[in-house]
Amino acid sequence: MNKQSYDIIGDIHGQADELISLITLLGYKDDGKSYTHPERKIIFLGDFIDRGSKQREVLDIVKAMIENGSALSVMGNHEFNAIAYFTKNSATGEYLRKHSSKNIKQHKAFLDVYETNDKEYACVINWFKTLPLWLELDGLRIVHACWDYKWINKILDISNGSTYLTDELLNKATIEGNWEFDAIETLLKGKEIPLKNGFSFKDKDGNERHNIRVRWWDQSASTYQSAFMGPESARTHIPDDEIEGDHLIEYTHSEPPVFLGHYWMEGEPKVLSKNIACLDFSIAKPGGKLVAYRWDGETELIDEKYVWVERN
Ligand SMILES: [Mn+2]
């Protein structure tokens, strides 16, 4: 039997109009309950929420597609943060993610829609918990930010093979210093390394950062600047010194293709390597794109299979 074909879609961040345009362009039709395709399925990379103006509309489309078997999805860091923001530590009574002004600001578009209705809010948070942390399918792998065996295997070890965020994992993953914290950070937010000598730079939201996300698959990147993963406009602010320590995760060309979101790429969508592709092209920003990759079982990914719509 042939492998199932999938259309894999990157971070959406509340941009429902572009989501509808993209899935329509890919040939999915609204049957009154959900969008479906006679042969294909969608895989979402997570980060449905925050930033954009159509939070509920995006979730309604995605939930309906997953419920009727037309789509799969992994959890993004924004869904993880939403769960932690909503949930209190049972021992201390404190929220697992602080209700600080920075966190409220980042989460505002979502809170504006859901915080006013307790029942609906609890319901959507419970739905986020049904999203696996990664997917290993026949011939492809899906994770929001970084496929790191070390953490994947460690989570599988403690969870009897489950790929879901249990309450125990959630609690431990919100406390810095626990290995669970580093595991979720890496899988959902990407591998980060500290800059030397306390150096920092300002990210897209104006927050000061002492760590950079790195091109964890790129053997040729040996300096902080060349290994930096993020908007090109920020790269010039990163020092060009040799990296101290290791920033690489072994992901050889013989392994199945892995699809990522998360990284706010810019410009024309292109594969990162023969078997690694990022599909987040900053739809939350003016000038951004919502991007899909049409996968038909190939082991080598090619630029021609990207499909996208521009932000309205
Ligand atoms: Mn993300």
Side-chain angles (χ1 to χ4, degrees), residues 3 15 41 107 142 150 153 156 171 214 220 238 241 255 261:
K3 284 195 175 77
Q15 300 290 138
K41 292 183 186 197
H107 205 27
I142 308 285
K150 179 178 139 195
N153 288 336
L156 288 171
N171 271 277
V214 289
S220 71
I238 308 296
D241 305 327
E255 294 186 67

Side-chain angles (χ1 to χ4, degrees), residues 11 47 77-78 144 262:
D11 309 28
D47 277 9
N77 58 305
H78 283 259
H144 186 66
H262 191 62

Side-chain angles (χ1 to χ4, degrees), residues 201-264:
F201 74 104
K202 289 246 166 51
D203 73 8
K204 63 187 180 303
D205 295 325
N207 299 313
E208 194 174 5
R209 302 273 178 179
H210 290 273
N211 297 332
I212 56 166
R213 291 174 182 167
V214 289
R215 302 168 61 85
W216 49 265
W217 57 87
D218 190 348
Q219 308 278 341
S220 71
S222 64
T223 68
Y224 291 94
Q225 193 177 87
S226 59
F228 173 72
M229 183 68 187
E232 282 309 306
S233 49
R235 186 180 303 280
T236 50
H237 302 291
I238 308 296
D240 205 23
D241 305 327
E242 289 291 316
I243 294 171
E244 289 173 359
D246 193 16
H247 72 287
L248 296 170
I249 288 166
E250 200 180 347
Y251 201 87
T252 64
H253 286 328
S254 62
E255 294 186 67
V258 59
F259 290 91
L260 321 166
H262 191 62
Y263 288 105
W264 296 81

Side-chain angles (χ1 to χ4, degrees), residues 79-299:
E79 286 78 44
F80 176 85
N81 286 347
I83 296 167
Y85 186 95
F86 176 86
T87 310
K88 286 178 177 166
N89 181 306
S90 53
T92 65
E94 304 218 348
Y95 287 105
L96 297 179
R97 182 172 168 84
K98 282 203 181 78
H99 290 195
S100 64
S101 54
K102 174 180 160 234
N103 291 345
I104 292 169
K105 191 176 152 208
Q106 195 192 45
H107 205 27
K108 187 177 184 310
F110 177 82
L111 293 172
D112 282 351
V113 176
Y114 285 97
E115 215 180 20
T116 52
N117 182 333
D118 289 352
K119 208 176 146 191
E120 197 188 14
Y121 188 17
C123 184
V124 76
I125 296 296
N126 277 327
W127 183 76
F128 290 159
K129 292 183 186 173
T130 69
L131 302 171
L133 298 167
W134 68 88
L135 283 168
E136 170 116 53
L137 301 167
D138 184 13
L140 81 166
R141 292 169 172 165
I142 308 285
V143 67
H144 186 66
C146 178
W147 190 274
D148 188 335
Y149 290 108
K150 179 178 139 195
W151 297 129
I152 286 175
N153 288 336
K154 215 161 167 180
I155 290 173
L156 288 171
D157 273 352
I158 58 142
S159 68
N160 293 321
S162 166
T163 60
Y164 295 96
L165 183 71
T166 61
D167 289 343
E168 192 187 351
L169 181 56
L170 168 66
N171 271 277
K172 289 184 172 164
T174 50
I175 299 166
E176 263 191 270
N178 289 338
W179 71 260
E180 292 89 346
F181 179 92
D182 295 332
I184 295 294
E185 283 277 316
T186 305
L187 300 180
L188 269 53
K189 303 181 190 181
K191 182 151 168 94
E192 293 195 356
I193 58 172
L195 291 166
K196 274 204 308 195
N197 306 324
F199 191 90
S200 68
F201 74 104
K202 289 246 166 51
D203 73 8
K204 63 187 180 303
D205 295 325
N207 299 313
E208 194 174 5
R209 302 273 178 179
H210 290 273
N211 297 332
I212 56 166
R213 291 174 182 167
V214 289
R215 302 168 61 85
W216 49 265
W217 57 87
D218 190 348
Q219 308 278 341
S220 71
S222 64
T223 68
Y224 291 94
Q225 193 177 87
S226 59
F228 173 72
M229 183 68 187
E232 282 309 306
S233 49
R235 186 180 303 280
T236 50
H237 302 291
I238 308 296
D240 205 23
D241 305 327
E242 289 291 316
I243 294 171
E244 289 173 359
D246 193 16
H247 72 287
L248 296 170
I249 288 166
E250 200 180 347
Y251 201 87
T252 64
H253 286 328
S254 62
E255 294 186 67
V258 59
F259 290 91
L260 321 166
H262 191 62
Y263 288 105
W264 296 81
M265 309 285 282
E266 292 169 344
E268 186 98 344
K270 284 185 171 51
V271 300
L272 296 171
S273 78
K274 282 179 187 168
N275 57 350
I276 305 177
C278 176
L279 304 180
D280 175 21
F281 280 76
S282 312
I283 188 63
K285 279 198 301 202
K289 301 176 181 68
L290 184 64
V291 171
Y293 184 97
R294 310 212 84 176
W295 186 77
D296 298 288
E298 65 269 28
T299 52

